[in-house]
């Protein structure tokens, strides 16, 4: 292996200034926001790691393609280019554009599920679970046991527990399971990949019972690259070839183009089933739009068509995975507790282990996220007791890395800020809730730190 550093495989053509603030300014901002980072204006943030969704920087080729966007209502050549690009990677017969991943989920579950059905997944993403439950079906998570131990290192912690899948289908009957889903990478499970062997095994069980397998494909390119790096037999295959094999085991997929589509908006739904596709297109027309644009502008379709291919470029994936791992490995080497190993799109800090003096009732994840903002203007997101209430299994702080946006020196800055907070972790206070909404309270909650800061 060459000792030369992995560099950003791009140069910068258009820059967006970010502004440093003083600690006093940040203290004022967060007080005004009720100590909820969702309520802080984004232009007051120095490094924004709230999400990797829709925050990618587009390439010169994507911007050029957007100028070719054809905005015709029906039969636009932009749709043909979009469909060809999706099919060359995903291989599915029908490609249905939607405005986001969740619109694809809503249509899929409306067509395929009814009350009383069961949908197994390695781990449902929150919108996937909500859309599944909205049609009266039960969303069941079947992660491997390794997924529940943050500090445990395992190459494919995103895998589904195939023994539990087989047992569930046999116990409940295949008739109650209209589809099985696999989320690659497993976002809610720490951005951890699923192995090709696991996908094959899940497909084998589905096939035996005549159940279709759908892939939640949001981070398919990152998952393909992890397979290349970690699974025997794939080192010499390209990420594109690996992705093609991965999708060959699926009967369809849902996709948010805001992730590995390298676009700022968009998604799609695919299936090989003609009759299902027809029903899905009928529903699409009702709320999203005609099947050749699905709620997107022609220029959005063009940006996705190019972005899907760029997301599979090996030098991009190498830089992306290395950059995320750099952050995780450097803070972990100093003792900071993180979900191991570093995921594809994000690093998750284990806030309960980071702040053992703060009980879960005082939101250790919120306390840590707020401290990263106060210390260095970094925005992250709590995934824990504020988001899930008493159902929270862990209190995590997610640092999601937008694609092609931040450079190595930005990541080094984030490492230093986290380490500064780590060194004075004993002084960090817990929080009390002052106001909460009836559902999805984490978006609008207002909180107050306990006691007086040292
Ligand atoms: C983001 C995401 C979705 C939903 O996509 P949106 O475009 O945000 O609607 C579904 N599944 C996973 C795994 C995701 O990360």
């Amino acid at each position: 292996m060459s000792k030369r550093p992995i560099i950003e495989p791009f140069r910068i053509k258009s820059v967006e200034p970010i502004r440093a603030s003083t600690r006093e300014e940040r203290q004022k901002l967060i007080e005004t926001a009720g100590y909820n980072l969702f309520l802080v204006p984004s232009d007051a943030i120095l490094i924004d790691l709230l999400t990797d969704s829709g925050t990618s920087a587009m390439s010169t080729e994507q911007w050029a393609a957007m100028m070719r966007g054809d905005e015709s209502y029906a039969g636009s050549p932009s749709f043909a280019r979009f469909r060809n690009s999706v099919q060359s990677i995903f291989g599915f017969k029908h490609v249905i554009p939607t405005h986001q991943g969740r619109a694809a989920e809503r249509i899929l579950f409306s067509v395929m599920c009814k009350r009383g059905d069961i949908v197994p997944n390695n781990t449902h993403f929150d919108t996937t679970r909500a859309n599944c439950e909205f049609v009266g079906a039960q969303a069941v998570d079947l992660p491997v046991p390794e997924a529940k131990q943050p500090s445990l290192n395992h190459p494919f912690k995103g895998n589904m527990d195939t023994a539990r899948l087989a047992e569930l289908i046999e116990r409940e009957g295949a008739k109650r399971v209209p589809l099985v889903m696999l989320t690659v990478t497993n976002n809610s499970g720490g951005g951890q990949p699923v192995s090709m062997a696991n996908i094959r095994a899940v497909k084998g069980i589905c096939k035996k019972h005549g159940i279709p397998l759908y892939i939640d494909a949001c981070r398919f390119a990152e998952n393909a690259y992890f397979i290349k790096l970690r699974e025997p037999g794939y080192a010499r295959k390209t990420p594109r070839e690996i992705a093609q094999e991965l999708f060959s085991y699926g009967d369809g997929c849902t996709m948010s183009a805001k992730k590995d589509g390298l676009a700022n908006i968009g998604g799609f739904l695919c299936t090989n089933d003609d009759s299902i596709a027809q029903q899905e297109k009928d529903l699409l027309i009702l709320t999203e739009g005609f099947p050749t644009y699905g709620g997107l502008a022609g220029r959005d379709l063009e940006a996705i068509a190019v972005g899907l291919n760029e997301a599979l470029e090996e030098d991009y994936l190498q830089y992306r995975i290395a950059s995320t791992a750099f952050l995780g490995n450097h803070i972990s080497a100093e003792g900071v507790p993180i979900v191991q190993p570093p995921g594809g799109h994000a690093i998750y800090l284990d806030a309960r282990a980071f702040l053992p003096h703060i009980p879960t009732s005082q939101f250790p994840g919120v306390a840590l996220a707020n401290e990263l903002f106060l210390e260095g203007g970094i925005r992250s997101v709590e995934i824990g007791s504020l988001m899930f209430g008493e159902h929270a299994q862990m209190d995590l702080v997610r640092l999601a890395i937008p694609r092609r946006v931040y450079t190595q020196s930005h990541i080094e800055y984030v490492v230093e800020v986290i380490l500064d907070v780590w060194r004075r972790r004993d002084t960090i206070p817990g929080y009390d809730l002052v106001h909460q909404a009836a559902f999805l309270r984490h978006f609008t909650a207002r909180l107050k730190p306990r006691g007086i800061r040292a």
Side-chain angles (χ1 to χ4, degrees), residues 181-346:
M181 285 193 94
L182 262 181
T183 307
V184 300
T185 59
N186 191 350
N187 183 5
S188 308
Q192 302 291 327
V194 181
S195 71
M196 197 70 87
N198 188 251
I199 296 166
R200 241 183 264 122
V202 169
K203 175 64 186 180
I205 294 167
C206 291
K207 205 167 174 184
K208 179 172 159 211
H209 295 280
I211 301 171
L213 173 63
Y214 275 72
I215 312 286
D216 180 339
C218 296
R219 294 178 183 80
F220 74 97
E222 290 170 10
N223 202 101
Y225 194 65
F226 278 122
I227 288 176
K228 181 180 171 81
L229 293 180
R230 296 180 184 171
E231 192 159 353
Y234 288 94
R236 305 179 78 158
K237 297 209 152 118
T238 64
R240 171 181 288 270
E241 287 164 343
I242 296 169
Q244 287 164 336
E245 181 185 340
L246 190 161
F247 291 118
S248 74
Y249 302 119
D251 298 279
C253 75
T254 55
M255 173 73 187
S256 169
K258 301 173 72 172
K259 315 321 184 357
D260 277 352
L262 289 170
N264 301 120
I265 196 71
F268 52 88
L269 172 60
C270 294
T271 180
N272 285 333
D273 185 311
D274 296 341
S275 142
I276 298 257
Q278 194 51 55
Q279 296 171 62
E280 288 171 345
K281 285 181 197 172
D282 292 346
L283 265 186
L284 187 83
I285 292 173
L286 193 64
T287 57
E288 296 275 307
F290 195 72
T292 59
Y293 73 88
L296 295 170
R299 54 180 171 270
D300 298 326
L301 296 170
E302 298 276 2
I304 297 166
V306 176
L308 290 170
N309 289 302
E310 291 183 350
L312 284 169
E313 281 169 14
E314 198 145 346
D315 56 354
Y316 157 73
L317 283 166
Q318 185 189 33
Y319 136 80
R320 167 114 182 116
I321 300 303
S323 174
T324 309
F326 177 92
L327 169 56
N329 291 336
H330 273 68
I331 57 176
S332 167
E334 300 293 322
V336 175
I338 67 167
V339 174
Q340 292 284 7
H345 70 294

Side-chain angles (χ1 to χ4, degrees), residues 10 18 25 44 81 117 141 146 156 170 205 218 249 272 297 327 333 353 366 375 381 432 440:
F10 50 81
I18 50 176
E25 286 173 319
R81 282 190 281 270
D117 282 348
D141 293 341
E146 290 86 351
F156 290 106
E170 257 143 54
I205 294 167
C218 296
Y249 302 119
N272 285 333
L327 169 56
V366 173
E375 180 71 32
V381 64
D432 288 320
L440 294 174

Side-chain angles (χ1 to χ4, degrees), residues 374-416:
L374 285 168
E375 180 71 32
I378 297 167
R379 177 156 66 175
S380 53
V381 64
E382 187 251 21
I383 302 187
S385 299
L386 183 63
M387 189 178 274
F388 299 122
E390 67 267 31
H391 304 297
Q393 302 247 341
M394 298 187 271
D395 277 279
L396 303 177
V397 170
R398 186 184 72 182
L399 303 152
I401 318 290
R403 293 167 181 78
R404 303 192 294 206
V405 170
Y406 294 116
T407 63
Q408 175 69 7
S409 61
H410 291 119
I411 300 293
E412 283 169 15
Y413 171 86
V414 173
V415 167
E416 292 308 319

Side-chain angles (χ1 to χ4, degrees), residues 396-451:
L396 303 177
V397 170
R398 186 184 72 182
L399 303 152
I401 318 290
R403 293 167 181 78
R404 303 192 294 206
V405 170
Y406 294 116
T407 63
Q408 175 69 7
S409 61
H410 291 119
I411 300 293
E412 283 169 15
Y413 171 86
V414 173
V415 167
E416 292 308 319
V417 170
I418 294 170
L419 293 180
D420 284 341
V421 170
W422 172 244
R423 284 179 203 112
R424 57 173 186 77
R425 57 193 179 277
D426 307 339
T427 67
I428 298 171
Y431 282 76
D432 288 320
L433 257 179
V434 178
H435 160 83
Q436 62 174 316
F439 51 89
L440 294 174
R441 64 178 181 173
H442 51 287
F443 290 123
T444 54
R446 300 183 82 83
L447 303 99
K448 240 176 84 174
R450 292 205 141 204

